[in-house]
PDB file of all heavy atoms in Angstrom:
ATOM      1  N   ALA T  10     -19.312 -13.262   4.937  1.00 75.00           N
ATOM      2  CA  ALA T  10     -19.323 -14.711   5.110  1.00 75.00           C
ATOM      3  C   ALA T  10     -18.694 -15.107   6.445  1.00 75.00           C
ATOM      4  O   ALA T  10     -17.725 -14.486   6.887  1.00 75.00           O
ATOM      5  CB  ALA T  10     -18.570 -15.376   3.958  1.00 75.00           C
ATOM      6  N   PRO T  11     -19.226 -16.152   7.100  1.00 77.00           N
ATOM      7  CA  PRO T  11     -18.663 -16.614   8.378  1.00 77.00           C
ATOM      8  C   PRO T  11     -17.199 -17.027   8.222  1.00 77.00           C
ATOM      9  O   PRO T  11     -16.815 -17.655   7.236  1.00 77.00           O
ATOM     10  CB  PRO T  11     -19.545 -17.819   8.727  1.00 77.00           C
ATOM     11  CG  PRO T  11     -20.813 -17.619   7.952  1.00 77.00           C
ATOM     12  CD  PRO T  11     -20.413 -16.924   6.692  1.00 77.00           C
ATOM     13  N   GLY T  12     -16.394 -16.668   9.211  1.00 86.00           N
ATOM     14  CA  GLY T  12     -15.009 -17.077   9.223  1.00 86.00           C
ATOM     15  C   GLY T  12     -14.048 -16.188   8.464  1.00 86.00           C
ATOM     16  O   GLY T  12     -12.834 -16.287   8.633  1.00 86.00           O
ATOM     17  N   ILE T  13     -14.572 -15.317   7.608  1.00 90.00           N
ATOM     18  CA  ILE T  13     -13.697 -14.488   6.789  1.00 90.00           C
ATOM     19  C   ILE T  13     -12.957 -13.460   7.643  1.00 90.00           C
ATOM     20  O   ILE T  13     -11.766 -13.188   7.430  1.00 90.00           O
ATOM     21  CB  ILE T  13     -14.490 -13.783   5.677  1.00 90.00           C
ATOM     22  CG1 ILE T  13     -15.069 -14.814   4.711  1.00 90.00           C
ATOM     23  CG2 ILE T  13     -13.615 -12.786   4.934  1.00 90.00           C
ATOM     24  CD1 ILE T  13     -14.043 -15.662   4.014  1.00 90.00           C
ATOM     25  N   ALA T  14     -13.637 -12.885   8.633  1.00 89.00           N
ATOM     26  CA  ALA T  14     -12.990 -11.878   9.481  1.00 89.00           C
ATOM     27  C   ALA T  14     -11.773 -12.471  10.178  1.00 89.00           C
ATOM     28  O   ALA T  14     -10.711 -11.831  10.252  1.00 89.00           O
ATOM     29  CB  ALA T  14     -13.983 -11.326  10.504  1.00 89.00           C
ATOM     30  N   GLU T  15     -11.905 -13.689  10.679  1.00 90.00           N
ATOM     31  CA  GLU T  15     -10.785 -14.325  11.364  1.00 90.00           C
ATOM     32  C   GLU T  15      -9.631 -14.579  10.404  1.00 90.00           C
ATOM     33  O   GLU T  15      -8.461 -14.385  10.752  1.00 90.00           O
ATOM     34  CB  GLU T  15     -11.238 -15.637  12.008  1.00 90.00           C
ATOM     35  CG  GLU T  15     -12.187 -15.459  13.184  1.00 90.00           C
ATOM     36  CD  GLU T  15     -13.626 -15.161  12.770  1.00 90.00           C
ATOM     37  OE1 GLU T  15     -13.914 -15.209  11.547  1.00 90.00           O
ATOM     38  OE2 GLU T  15     -14.449 -14.873  13.667  1.00 90.00           O
ATOM     39  N   ARG T  16      -9.935 -15.009   9.190  1.00 92.00           N
ATOM     40  CA  ARG T  16      -8.885 -15.275   8.199  1.00 92.00           C
ATOM     41  C   ARG T  16      -8.174 -13.992   7.807  1.00 92.00           C
ATOM     42  O   ARG T  16      -6.947 -13.966   7.664  1.00 92.00           O
ATOM     43  CB  ARG T  16      -9.483 -15.957   6.974  1.00 92.00           C
ATOM     44  CG  ARG T  16      -9.958 -17.376   7.233  1.00 92.00           C
ATOM     45  CD  ARG T  16     -10.762 -17.926   6.084  1.00 92.00           C
ATOM     46  NE  ARG T  16      -9.961 -18.117   4.873  1.00 92.00           N
ATOM     47  CZ  ARG T  16     -10.478 -18.467   3.693  1.00 92.00           C
ATOM     48  NH1 ARG T  16     -11.793 -18.651   3.578  1.00 92.00           N
ATOM     49  NH2 ARG T  16      -9.694 -18.637   2.646  1.00 92.00           N
ATOM     50  N   LEU T  17      -8.944 -12.908   7.655  1.00 93.00           N
ATOM     51  CA  LEU T  17      -8.323 -11.638   7.288  1.00 93.00           C
ATOM     52  C   LEU T  17      -7.490 -11.089   8.437  1.00 93.00           C
ATOM     53  O   LEU T  17      -6.362 -10.607   8.231  1.00 93.00           O
ATOM     54  CB  LEU T  17      -9.396 -10.628   6.885  1.00 93.00           C
ATOM     55  CG  LEU T  17      -8.905  -9.229   6.498  1.00 93.00           C
ATOM     56  CD1 LEU T  17      -7.884  -9.302   5.366  1.00 93.00           C
ATOM     57  CD2 LEU T  17     -10.078  -8.338   6.101  1.00 93.00           C
ATOM     58  N   ALA T  18      -8.009 -11.163   9.655  1.00 91.00           N
ATOM     59  CA  ALA T  18      -7.266 -10.656  10.814  1.00 91.00           C
ATOM     60  C   ALA T  18      -5.933 -11.374  10.971  1.00 91.00           C
ATOM     61  O   ALA T  18      -4.944 -10.775  11.405  1.00 91.00           O
ATOM     62  CB  ALA T  18      -8.102 -10.805  12.076  1.00 91.00           C
ATOM     63  N   ALA T  19      -5.901 -12.649  10.599  1.00 92.00           N
ATOM     64  CA  ALA T  19      -4.683 -13.430  10.758  1.00 92.00           C
ATOM     65  C   ALA T  19      -3.601 -13.044   9.759  1.00 92.00           C
ATOM     66  O   ALA T  19      -2.421 -13.326   9.996  1.00 92.00           O
ATOM     67  CB  ALA T  19      -4.997 -14.917  10.617  1.00 92.00           C
ATOM     68  N   CYS T  20      -3.976 -12.408   8.657  1.00 95.00           N
ATOM     69  CA  CYS T  20      -2.977 -12.099   7.627  1.00 95.00           C
ATOM     70  C   CYS T  20      -2.686 -10.611   7.504  1.00 95.00           C
ATOM     71  O   CYS T  20      -1.690 -10.221   6.888  1.00 95.00           O
ATOM     72  CB  CYS T  20      -3.434 -12.643   6.270  1.00 95.00           C
ATOM     73  SG  CYS T  20      -4.753 -11.713   5.445  1.00 95.00           S
ATOM     74  N   LEU T  21      -3.504  -9.741   8.094  1.00 95.00           N
ATOM     75  CA  LEU T  21      -3.372  -8.303   7.896  1.00 95.00           C
ATOM     76  C   LEU T  21      -2.329  -7.707   8.840  1.00 95.00           C
ATOM     77  O   LEU T  21      -2.467  -7.795  10.050  1.00 95.00           O
ATOM     78  CB  LEU T  21      -4.736  -7.633   8.112  1.00 95.00           C
ATOM     79  CG  LEU T  21      -4.901  -6.179   7.697  1.00 95.00           C
ATOM     80  CD1 LEU T  21      -6.377  -5.854   7.486  1.00 95.00           C
ATOM     81  CD2 LEU T  21      -4.330  -5.226   8.742  1.00 95.00           C
ATOM     82  N   ASP T  22      -1.281  -7.132   8.263  1.00 96.00           N
ATOM     83  CA  ASP T  22      -0.266  -6.394   9.027  1.00 96.00           C
ATOM     84  C   ASP T  22       0.307  -7.226  10.168  1.00 96.00           C
ATOM     85  O   ASP T  22       0.337  -6.794  11.322  1.00 96.00           O
ATOM     86  CB  ASP T  22      -0.853  -5.082   9.562  1.00 96.00           C
ATOM     87  CG  ASP T  22       0.204  -4.187  10.220  1.00 96.00           C
ATOM     88  OD1 ASP T  22       1.363  -4.214   9.766  1.00 96.00           O
ATOM     89  OD2 ASP T  22      -0.129  -3.478  11.183  1.00 96.00           O
ATOM     90  N   ILE T  23       0.804  -8.408   9.830  1.00 96.00           N
ATOM     91  CA  ILE T  23       1.386  -9.241  10.891  1.00 96.00           C
ATOM     92  C   ILE T  23       2.677  -8.626  11.427  1.00 96.00           C
ATOM     93  O   ILE T  23       3.136  -8.980  12.514  1.00 96.00           O
ATOM     94  CB  ILE T  23       1.639 -10.682  10.397  1.00 96.00           C
ATOM     95  CG1 ILE T  23       2.665 -10.707   9.255  1.00 96.00           C
ATOM     96  CG2 ILE T  23       0.340 -11.342   9.974  1.00 96.00           C
ATOM     97  CD1 ILE T  23       3.067 -12.118   8.855  1.00 96.00           C
ATOM     98  N   GLU T  24       3.257  -7.674  10.683  1.00 96.00           N
ATOM     99  CA  GLU T  24       4.447  -6.963  11.165  1.00 96.00           C
ATOM    100  C   GLU T  24       4.110  -5.921  12.222  1.00 96.00           C
ATOM    101  O   GLU T  24       4.998  -5.323  12.821  1.00 96.00           O
ATOM    102  CB  GLU T  24       5.176  -6.282  10.004  1.00 96.00           C
ATOM    103  CG  GLU T  24       5.584  -7.209   8.870  1.00 96.00           C
ATOM    104  CD  GLU T  24       4.514  -7.293   7.788  1.00 96.00           C
ATOM    105  OE1 GLU T  24       3.364  -6.851   8.023  1.00 96.00           O
ATOM    106  OE2 GLU T  24       4.822  -7.804   6.698  1.00 96.00           O
ATOM    107  N   GLU T  25       2.809  -5.642  12.396  1.00 97.00           N
ATOM    108  CA  GLU T  25       2.309  -4.665  13.370  1.00 97.00           C
ATOM    109  C   GLU T  25       2.878  -3.261  13.121  1.00 97.00           C
ATOM    110  O   GLU T  25       3.219  -2.526  14.055  1.00 97.00           O
ATOM    111  CB  GLU T  25       2.575  -5.126  14.805  1.00 97.00           C
ATOM    112  CG  GLU T  25       1.853  -6.428  15.130  1.00 97.00           C
ATOM    113  CD  GLU T  25       1.811  -6.740  16.617  1.00 97.00           C
ATOM    114  OE1 GLU T  25       2.544  -6.095  17.392  1.00 97.00           O
ATOM    115  OE2 GLU T  25       1.017  -7.621  17.003  1.00 97.00           O
ATOM    116  N   LYS T  26       2.931  -2.890  11.861  1.00 98.00           N
ATOM    117  CA  LYS T  26       3.371  -1.539  11.523  1.00 98.00           C
ATOM    118  C   LYS T  26       2.338  -0.490  11.929  1.00 98.00           C
ATOM    119  O   LYS T  26       2.696   0.637  12.273  1.00 98.00           O
ATOM    120  CB  LYS T  26       3.645  -1.441  10.021  1.00 98.00           C
ATOM    121  CG  LYS T  26       4.836  -2.244   9.554  1.00 98.00           C
ATOM    122  CD  LYS T  26       5.075  -2.045   8.060  1.00 98.00           C
ATOM    123  CE  LYS T  26       6.294  -2.812   7.571  1.00 98.00           C
ATOM    124  NZ  LYS T  26       6.537  -2.587   6.124  1.00 98.00           N
ATOM    125  N   ILE T  27       1.047  -0.842  11.869  1.00 97.00           N
ATOM    126  CA  ILE T  27       0.000   0.136  12.182  1.00 97.00           C
ATOM    127  C   ILE T  27       0.086   0.587  13.646  1.00 97.00           C
ATOM    128  O   ILE T  27       0.132   1.797  13.913  1.00 97.00           O
ATOM    129  CB  ILE T  27      -1.396  -0.418  11.835  1.00 97.00           C
ATOM    130  CG1 ILE T  27      -1.508  -0.619  10.319  1.00 97.00           C
ATOM    131  CG2 ILE T  27      -2.497   0.539  12.327  1.00 97.00           C
ATOM    132  CD1 ILE T  27      -2.774  -1.339   9.889  1.00 97.00           C
ATOM    133  N   PRO T  28       0.111  -0.317  14.636  1.00 97.00           N
ATOM    134  CA  PRO T  28       0.214   0.175  16.021  1.00 97.00           C
ATOM    135  C   PRO T  28       1.509   0.924  16.282  1.00 97.00           C
ATOM    136  O   PRO T  28       1.524   1.892  17.063  1.00 97.00           O
ATOM    137  CB  PRO T  28       0.094  -1.098  16.874  1.00 97.00           C
ATOM    138  CG  PRO T  28       0.388  -2.225  15.944  1.00 97.00           C
ATOM    139  CD  PRO T  28      -0.096  -1.782  14.601  1.00 97.00           C
ATOM    140  N   ARG T  29       2.599   0.515  15.650  1.00 97.00           N
ATOM    141  CA  ARG T  29       3.852   1.237  15.856  1.00 97.00           C
ATOM    142  C   ARG T  29       3.755   2.660  15.309  1.00 97.00           C
ATOM    143  O   ARG T  29       4.293   3.605  15.911  1.00 97.00           O
ATOM    144  CB  ARG T  29       5.021   0.490  15.198  1.00 97.00           C
ATOM    145  CG  ARG T  29       5.324  -0.853  15.845  1.00 97.00           C
ATOM    146  CD  ARG T  29       6.761  -1.297  15.590  1.00 97.00           C
ATOM    147  NE  ARG T  29       7.123  -1.311  14.186  1.00 97.00           N
ATOM    148  CZ  ARG T  29       6.977  -2.370  13.386  1.00 97.00           C
ATOM    149  NH1 ARG T  29       6.438  -3.481  13.858  1.00 97.00           N
ATOM    150  NH2 ARG T  29       7.370  -2.314  12.134  1.00 97.00           N
ATOM    151  N   ALA T  30       3.049   2.831  14.203  1.00 98.00           N
ATOM    152  CA  ALA T  30       2.864   4.176  13.658  1.00 98.00           C
ATOM    153  C   ALA T  30       1.967   5.020  14.554  1.00 98.00           C
ATOM    154  O   ALA T  30       2.205   6.227  14.725  1.00 98.00           O
ATOM    155  CB  ALA T  30       2.269   4.094  12.251  1.00 98.00           C
ATOM    156  N   LEU T  31       0.945   4.413  15.148  1.00 98.00           N
ATOM    157  CA  LEU T  31       0.089   5.150  16.081  1.00 98.00           C
ATOM    158  C   LEU T  31       0.888   5.633  17.286  1.00 98.00           C
ATOM    159  O   LEU T  31       0.695   6.751  17.770  1.00 98.00           O
ATOM    160  CB  LEU T  31      -1.083   4.277  16.525  1.00 98.00           C
ATOM    161  CG  LEU T  31      -2.103   3.912  15.437  1.00 98.00           C
ATOM    162  CD1 LEU T  31      -3.109   2.897  15.968  1.00 98.00           C
ATOM    163  CD2 LEU T  31      -2.820   5.151  14.918  1.00 98.00           C
ATOM    164  N   GLU T  32       1.801   4.790  17.759  1.00 98.00           N
ATOM    165  CA  GLU T  32       2.663   5.209  18.871  1.00 98.00           C
ATOM    166  C   GLU T  32       3.563   6.365  18.434  1.00 98.00           C
ATOM    167  O   GLU T  32       3.750   7.332  19.188  1.00 98.00           O
ATOM    168  CB  GLU T  32       3.493   4.016  19.354  1.00 98.00           C
ATOM    169  CG  GLU T  32       4.664   4.369  20.255  1.00 98.00           C
ATOM    170  CD  GLU T  32       4.262   5.024  21.571  1.00 98.00           C
ATOM    171  OE1 GLU T  32       3.056   5.048  21.927  1.00 98.00           O
ATOM    172  OE2 GLU T  32       5.165   5.519  22.265  1.00 98.00           O
ATOM    173  N   ALA T  33       4.117   6.293  17.243  1.00 98.00           N
ATOM    174  CA  ALA T  33       5.006   7.353  16.768  1.00 98.00           C
ATOM    175  C   ALA T  33       4.268   8.675  16.594  1.00 98.00           C
ATOM    176  O   ALA T  33       4.821   9.751  16.864  1.00 98.00           O
ATOM    177  CB  ALA T  33       5.654   6.941  15.451  1.00 98.00           C
ATOM    178  N   LEU T  34       3.012   8.618  16.185  1.00 98.00           N
ATOM    179  CA  LEU T  34       2.256   9.840  15.901  1.00 98.00           C
ATOM    180  C   LEU T  34       1.512  10.358  17.117  1.00 98.00           C
ATOM    181  O   LEU T  34       1.110  11.525  17.138  1.00 98.00           O
ATOM    182  CB  LEU T  34       1.257   9.587  14.760  1.00 98.00           C
ATOM    183  CG  LEU T  34       1.893   9.305  13.394  1.00 98.00           C
ATOM    184  CD1 LEU T  34       0.828   8.818  12.414  1.00 98.00           C
ATOM    185  CD2 LEU T  34       2.569  10.555  12.858  1.00 98.00           C
ATOM    186  N   GLY T  35       1.288   9.516  18.129  1.00 97.00           N
ATOM    187  CA  GLY T  35       0.574   9.957  19.321  1.00 97.00           C
ATOM    188  C   GLY T  35       1.436  10.849  20.216  1.00 97.00           C
ATOM    189  O   GLY T  35       1.317  12.068  20.156  1.00 97.00           O
ATOM    190  N   PRO T  36       2.226  10.263  21.081  1.00 97.00           N
ATOM    191  CA  PRO T  36       2.296   8.822  21.329  1.00 97.00           C
ATOM    192  C   PRO T  36       1.087   8.331  22.113  1.00 97.00           C
ATOM    193  O   PRO T  36       0.272   9.132  22.559  1.00 97.00           O
ATOM    194  CB  PRO T  36       3.586   8.688  22.146  1.00 97.00           C
ATOM    195  CG  PRO T  36       3.664   9.984  22.895  1.00 97.00           C
ATOM    196  CD  PRO T  36       3.126  11.037  21.973  1.00 97.00           C
ATOM    197  N   VAL T  37       1.002   6.997  22.297  1.00 98.00           N
ATOM    198  CA  VAL T  37      -0.103   6.415  23.049  1.00 98.00           C
ATOM    199  C   VAL T  37       0.348   5.798  24.367  1.00 98.00           C
ATOM    200  O   VAL T  37      -0.479   5.594  25.270  1.00 98.00           O
ATOM    201  CB  VAL T  37      -0.855   5.362  22.204  1.00 98.00           C
ATOM    202  CG1 VAL T  37      -1.432   5.992  20.947  1.00 98.00           C
ATOM    203  CG2 VAL T  37       0.053   4.185  21.838  1.00 98.00           C
TER     204      VAL T  37
END
Side-chain angles (χ1 to χ4, degrees):
I13 296 299
E15 291 78 6
R16 291 170 67 187
L17 179 56
C20 75
L21 192 159
D22 187 33
I23 63 173
E24 304 91 346
E25 298 194 347
K26 292 182 178 181
I27 295 172
R29 294 203 306 270
L31 293 173
E32 166 63 11
L34 293 170
V37 300

